[in-house]
Amino acid sequence: MQFFGGSSVAEIAPSPAAPPGTATGLAGNNANMLYIFNRSGVCLLYREWHRPLHTLDPQQDQKLMFGLLFSLRSFTAKMDPTSVDKGNLGVPLLPGQGCSFYSFRTNTYKLSFMECPSGIKIILVTHPKTGDMREPLRYIYNIYVEYVIKNPLYVHGSPIKCELFNTNLDQYVKTLV
Amino acid sequence: MAAIYSLFIINKSGGLIFYKDYGSAGRMDTNDSLRLASLWHSMHAISQQLSPTLGCNGIELLQADTFDLHCFQSLTGTKFFVVCEPGAQHMEGLLKVIYELYTDYVLKNPFYEMEMPIRCELFDMNLSQAIQKDRVSLFGR
């Protein structure tokens, strides 16, 4: 039940709760969107809490997001100023291989990224003034393991349709500052 | 202020017009730096498409395990980005200083062709001075 030194279900406690929506002025939730991809690029989950602007239709949007992350990983692995021998650009990288990024920020949003050794990628899009989201992402991964992986009816590689997972996720995201 | 690893300047079409490496182990040859610059240009544009709200101007800060990347885009689409140590402070200020040097010593140079690689001695000199000021404070630690 231990992964990344995280806690088991019984001990999972929400971080000190801020009144929902205060950080960003959003009604009810502090995050904008969440994506979960598996290693082949299938979008297992897309949750949206506050997204006034939809530039592309959901399919395209998810493909674009995955493509961006793939390219960014190649970019950071190649750009790494501390390693001497780097592979060529465009070579698919294994999870954990080479330097990887964990977040980027624009003037309208902050994207936090986590890739697990199994190739599951979790992306959380929040308000630009959000702090370091690495711990919350690990917590979300734990929720995923508890309610999705351990669900005997879940077919791996297919989109997630577990009510318990969605509820717990929404509850947790509400407590993020 | 912390030391920076490298500086890139990209023109509005995504072509690399200036690249200077300040002593990183991962020094790149010309081809690689050109590819990375174009890659960054595209990703900067794509990140605007994924914004949940209006008015996104692209990536300003990228945080990775071993480095941070700060990017400044001028109103004309020229991008300046520095690769520095994680947690380096005042990089936005440094980028603005570099932008000022660019306007003074590159754009006002009558022999400089727009969007072409920068080959201006005065720009190089003043840039080294500006970066050097940072490094002195680093060695003084």
Side-chain angles (χ1 to χ4, degrees):
Chain A
M1 282 250 262
Q2 298 292 321
F3 188 79
F4 288 140
S7 43
S8 63
V9 183
E11 294 153 10
I12 289 180
S15 40
T22 43
T24 55
L26 306 170
N29 244 312
N30 285 325
N32 293 81
M33 298 106 74
L34 176 86
Y35 298 75
I36 300 184
F37 292 99
N38 75 353
R39 62 188 305 160
S40 5
V42 175
C43 186
L44 304 178
L45 183 79
Y46 169 66
R47 294 286 288 173
E48 181 181 291
W49 294 288
H50 184 74
R51 189 176 191 176
L53 176 70
H54 292 83
T55 318
L56 304 158
D57 68 88
Q59 286 276 4
Q60 301 282 51
D61 184 72
Q62 285 155 22
K63 283 192 201 144
L64 195 63
M65 178 61 83
F66 187 77
L68 177 67
L69 296 172
F70 182 87
S71 312
L72 266 178
R73 277 210 65 215
S74 291
F75 179 83
T76 49
K78 190 73 187 180
M79 192 63 117
D80 188 2
T82 56
S83 81
V84 179
D85 185 29
K86 295 167 275 199
N88 291 319
L89 261 184
V91 171
L93 295 163
L94 296 169
Q97 187 183 14
C99 175
S100 177
F101 76 104
Y102 59 86
S103 91
F104 75 72
R105 187 197 76 209
T106 71
N107 59 323
T108 52
Y109 69 98
K110 178 170 186 171
L111 185 145
S112 308
F113 170 74
M114 181 178 87
E115 184 167 23
C116 314
S118 56
I120 299 289
K121 304 187 213 313
I122 305 184
I123 295 101
L124 186 63
V125 175
T126 52
H127 186 265
K129 297 226 168 49
T130 320
D132 192 1
M133 281 278 134
R134 280 180 282 188
E135 281 307 318
L137 281 174
R138 286 199 195 107
Y139 189 91
I140 291 175
Y141 180 70
N142 276 337
I143 301 180
Y144 164 79
V145 166
E146 291 303 320
Y147 293 105
V148 178
I149 303 297
K150 293 185 180 179
N151 182 343
L153 299 174
Y154 173 67
V155 177
H156 284 262
S158 70
I160 298 169
K161 298 213 193 322
C162 311
E163 265 318 303
L164 269 181
F165 174 68
N166 291 342
T167 330
N168 274 273
L169 184 64
D170 287 347
Q171 258 180 357
Y172 177 64
V173 170
K174 274 203 177 67
T175 66
L176 290 175
V177 179
Chain B
M1 298 195 192
I4 66 175
Y5 289 117
S6 50
L7 166 72
F8 290 71
I9 305 181
I10 315 182
N11 67 16
K12 62 166 87 76
S13 345
L16 182 67
I17 58 176
F18 187 81
Y19 166 59
K20 191 85 191 287
D21 185 279
Y22 293 100
S24 67
R27 205 172 303 249
M28 274 181 284
D29 60 18
T30 328
N31 284 335
D32 280 339
S33 58
L34 282 166
R35 281 189 210 117
L36 281 179
S38 310
L39 190 53
W40 178 256
H41 175 81
S42 316
M43 292 188 303
H44 195 261
I46 292 176
S47 67
Q48 295 177 23
Q49 301 237 328
L50 294 168
S51 169
T53 49
L54 282 169
C56 184
N57 295 328
I59 303 178
E60 291 172 354
L61 166 64
L62 175 81
Q63 291 173 301
D65 302 330
T66 54
F67 68 92
D68 279 357
L69 189 150
H70 295 254
C71 180
F72 167 70
Q73 181 175 30
S74 72
L75 291 168
T76 53
T78 310
K79 289 184 257 303
F80 300 78
F81 64 93
V82 286
V83 177
C84 56
E85 293 170 352
Q89 301 285 319
H90 312 300
M91 282 296 131
E92 274 89 51
L94 180 66
L95 282 169
K96 294 265 165 48
V97 165
I98 294 175
Y99 180 51
E100 231 184 279
L101 293 175
Y102 168 78
T103 55
D104 283 340
Y105 295 108
V106 178
L107 295 181
K108 293 179 187 174
N109 181 339
F111 299 110
Y112 172 69
E113 283 179 64
M114 284 304 300
E115 317 298 327
M116 288 283 113
I118 295 173
R119 303 243 184 282
C120 310
E121 244 183 74
L122 278 176
F123 177 68
D124 290 333
M125 257 169 46
N126 282 274
L127 184 64
S128 307
Q129 273 177 7
I131 306 286
Q132 217 44 35
K133 269 195 235 128
D134 285 4
R135 311 204 88 198
V136 165
S137 52
L138 170 68
F139 294 137
R141 283 199 217 142

